[in-house]
Amino acid sequence: METEYKIIGGDGVEYGPASLLELRDWIRDGRVAGTTQVWRSDLLKWSPANWYQELQADLSRLYSVSPEAARPAGFWMRLAAHLLDRALLLPLFLAVWFPIADANNWIRLPPEVPSTITDETRVKYTNELSAWMDHAALVYLPIFMIYEVLLNGAFGATVGKMAIGARIRAADGARLSYSRAMLRWWAERVSEFLMFTGFLLIALRADKRGLHDILAGTKVVYQR
């Protein structure tokens, strides 16, 4: 009888049974890392993938990168990548925003600061600016989320990170899944909510992981 395998994926779900050939394909696809728990039918127990001799060659080929390629991406380069992504998102946002704003009779652009500041003009300006920001966020955030999650899930990087030669990986080196990419996007919002202090950890930590990386179990390394 052919030996069968099962794995515990990065999302905590059990997958399988699968043949050895299928399991090797999963390794090449980034679904299985060295620390991934694997069950083998003849042993009837769970062990890390790198414990199995028949998987070691595939794992070593997948994760054998040069020291330079494995170097963590630092704060300033990641900031540059982030700013590039935001610049690319702006025209996409405007292309979607203007039709939606017109259809709902929303203010298209931020209101101008009144030339004469009185209590009445201050209240009017504050209300209009607040309404514009709320409506803009309602449109921008889904676009931002789709952009990051789709690109990170498919390629392990947004256009900005590709430009600096970096990739997002799971903490154990495995390829980023869509579910982890989504988790990381929400974790980034936590870093922003904390007055952006979560991002400062990138500059302070030796492994260059921000709070969102820690929460999502990811790292950003130089890897083409």
Side-chain angles (χ1 to χ4, degrees), residues 203-223:
L204 299 176
R205 290 174 58 96
D207 60 4
K208 306 302 181 185
R209 298 174 71 201
L211 176 62
H212 48 289
D213 288 310
I214 296 170
L215 293 175
T218 60
K219 60 183 179 180
V220 180
V221 296
Y222 287 112
Q223 187 174 327

Side-chain angles (χ1 to χ4, degrees), residues 132-186:
W132 181 87
M133 292 177 64
D134 289 344
H135 293 151
L138 192 64
V139 175
Y140 181 80
L141 287 177
I143 296 173
F144 184 25
M145 180 180 66
I146 292 170
Y147 172 84
E148 285 213 345
V149 173
L150 285 184
L151 287 177
N152 287 336
F155 306 108
T158 58
V159 174
K161 285 187 174 60
M162 291 179 195
I164 67 170
R167 291 291 186 273
I168 305 171
R169 292 283 187 178
D172 61 4
R175 180 178 175 180
L176 202 68
S177 64
Y178 284 101
S179 59
R180 193 179 294 273
M182 176 65 81
L183 174 62
R184 190 176 189 276
W185 189 86
W186 283 108

Side-chain angles (χ1 to χ4, degrees), residues 113-136:
V113 178
S115 56
T116 303
I117 302 298
T118 64
D119 290 342
E120 182 179 351
T121 58
R122 184 185 296 110
V123 170
K124 181 181 178 182
Y125 171 76
T126 301
N127 291 339
E128 288 181 350
L129 179 62
S130 178
W132 181 87
M133 292 177 64
D134 289 344
H135 293 151

Side-chain angles (χ1 to χ4, degrees), residues 9-190:
D11 54 3
V13 177
E14 180 180 309
Y15 295 92
S19 65
L20 177 58
L21 289 177
E22 290 174 318
L23 185 58
R24 295 176 68 183
D25 285 339
W26 291 356
I27 294 174
R28 286 190 286 271
D29 290 341
R31 294 179 60 186
V32 178
T35 56
T36 300
Q37 289 295 307
V38 177
W39 178 90
R40 202 169 82 180
S41 58
D42 60 331
L43 297 177
L44 300 177
K45 69 174 185 178
W46 294 89
S47 299
N50 56 18
W51 187 88
Y52 296 97
Q53 186 175 356
E54 65 269 30
L55 303 179
Q56 290 177 0
D58 293 279
L59 288 168
S60 63
R61 279 195 295 269
L62 185 63
Y63 298 110
S64 58
V65 296
S66 66
E68 175 67 19
R71 181 165 58 92
F75 176 83
W76 293 112
M77 291 301 290
R78 288 174 65 175
L79 177 60
H82 176 76
L83 294 176
L84 176 57
D85 284 324
R86 291 300 178 108
L88 293 173
L89 276 168
L90 180 58
L92 180 59
F93 162 70
L94 293 177
V96 177
W97 163 252
F98 286 138
I100 293 178
D102 291 341
N104 291 277
N105 293 319
W106 293 342
I107 302 173
R108 293 173 111 235
L109 297 172
E112 295 184 3
V113 178
S115 56
T116 303
I117 302 298
T118 64
D119 290 342
E120 182 179 351
T121 58
R122 184 185 296 110
V123 170
K124 181 181 178 182
Y125 171 76
T126 301
N127 291 339
E128 288 181 350
L129 179 62
S130 178
W132 181 87
M133 292 177 64
D134 289 344
H135 293 151
L138 192 64
V139 175
Y140 181 80
L141 287 177
I143 296 173
F144 184 25
M145 180 180 66
I146 292 170
Y147 172 84
E148 285 213 345
V149 173
L150 285 184
L151 287 177
N152 287 336
F155 306 108
T158 58
V159 174
K161 285 187 174 60
M162 291 179 195
I164 67 170
R167 291 291 186 273
I168 305 171
R169 292 283 187 178
D172 61 4
R175 180 178 175 180
L176 202 68
S177 64
Y178 284 101
S179 59
R180 193 179 294 273
M182 176 65 81
L183 174 62
R184 190 176 189 276
W185 189 86
W186 283 108
E188 283 183 330
R189 308 291 73 76
V190 175

